[in-house]
Amino acid sequence: DAGVIQSPRHEVTEMGQEVTLRCKPISGHDYLFWYRQTMMRGLELLIYFNNNVPIDDSGMPEDRFSAKMPNASFSTLKIQPSEPRDSAVYFCASSLIIAEQYFGPGTRLTVT
Amino acid sequence: AQSVTQPDIHITVSEGASLELRCNYSYGATPYLFWYVQSPGQGLQLLLKYFSGDTLVQGIKGFEAEFKRSQSSFNLRKPSVHWSDAAEYFCAVGARDDYKLSFGAGTTVTVRA
């Protein structure tokens, strides 16, 4: 298996622009998680899905962030409009067995 | 809600020496426990996990961890460190009825020649 796939690996954008991060989970995994990692706050869970349905989005910072999972093999995390404080590494992870998560390589987002 | 504390922010160890990373958790029942490793610029890789049974668990790359209920700890060990073990290590705890994980702040390991 190719593991969790994320794209792009690096994204540099200007403040106010829309950013879309993409994730393909491991085939057969029915849970998908989006995390944000920063030096100040560490690893934060933003949202997670089960069978394409959002279960808990309490970690989403504000309305500028949205996530979708239109099918079992694809999810997006969108930031609109982006701000410099959104600069971070965003990870996607997927899970089949309870609590055992497999992480993608991450997307490093820089907002100038 | 569960939580994790990793008391050591940074550890430096000589190549060939032993390594122990501390992890303490807070949870009302027996949790699921994990150690992940993150190399620079990479995602988190699962090293090992504890669900139940034998409290000493073996993982990949020669790592092991021991679950001690009385101390609410799940410390990670390696008998002989290699330069490639330089990375950041995260302890995580999960509840038995929840797919979410709570991560510690991480411990950065530096290996000196």
Side-chain angles (χ1 to χ4, degrees), chain A residues 76-90:
Chain A
T76 59
L77 178 67
K78 186 176 294 185
I79 308 172
Q80 167 63 20
S82 58
E83 296 182 3
R85 61 194 168 114
D86 301 330
S87 297
V89 181
Y90 291 81

Side-chain angles (χ1 to χ4, degrees), chain A residues 9 31 33 35 37 43 45 48 56 91 96-101 103-105, chain B residues 32 34 36 38 41-44 46 49 51 90 96-101 103:
Chain A
R9 293 293 310 276
Y31 279 79
F33 305 80
Y35 290 88
Q37 186 179 41
L43 200 59
L45 176 65
Y48 77 97
D56 185 346
F91 289 104
L96 175 62
I97 299 172
I98 189 166
E100 185 174 329
Q101 298 178 18
F103 283 74
Chain B
Y32 294 141
F34 305 83
Y36 285 83
Q38 184 180 28
Q42 302 297 314
L44 279 71
L46 181 63
K49 61 193 178 192
F51 282 1
F90 293 90
R96 290 180 176 258
D97 58 351
D98 193 344
Y99 273 72
K100 294 193 294 186
L101 292 179
F103 286 84

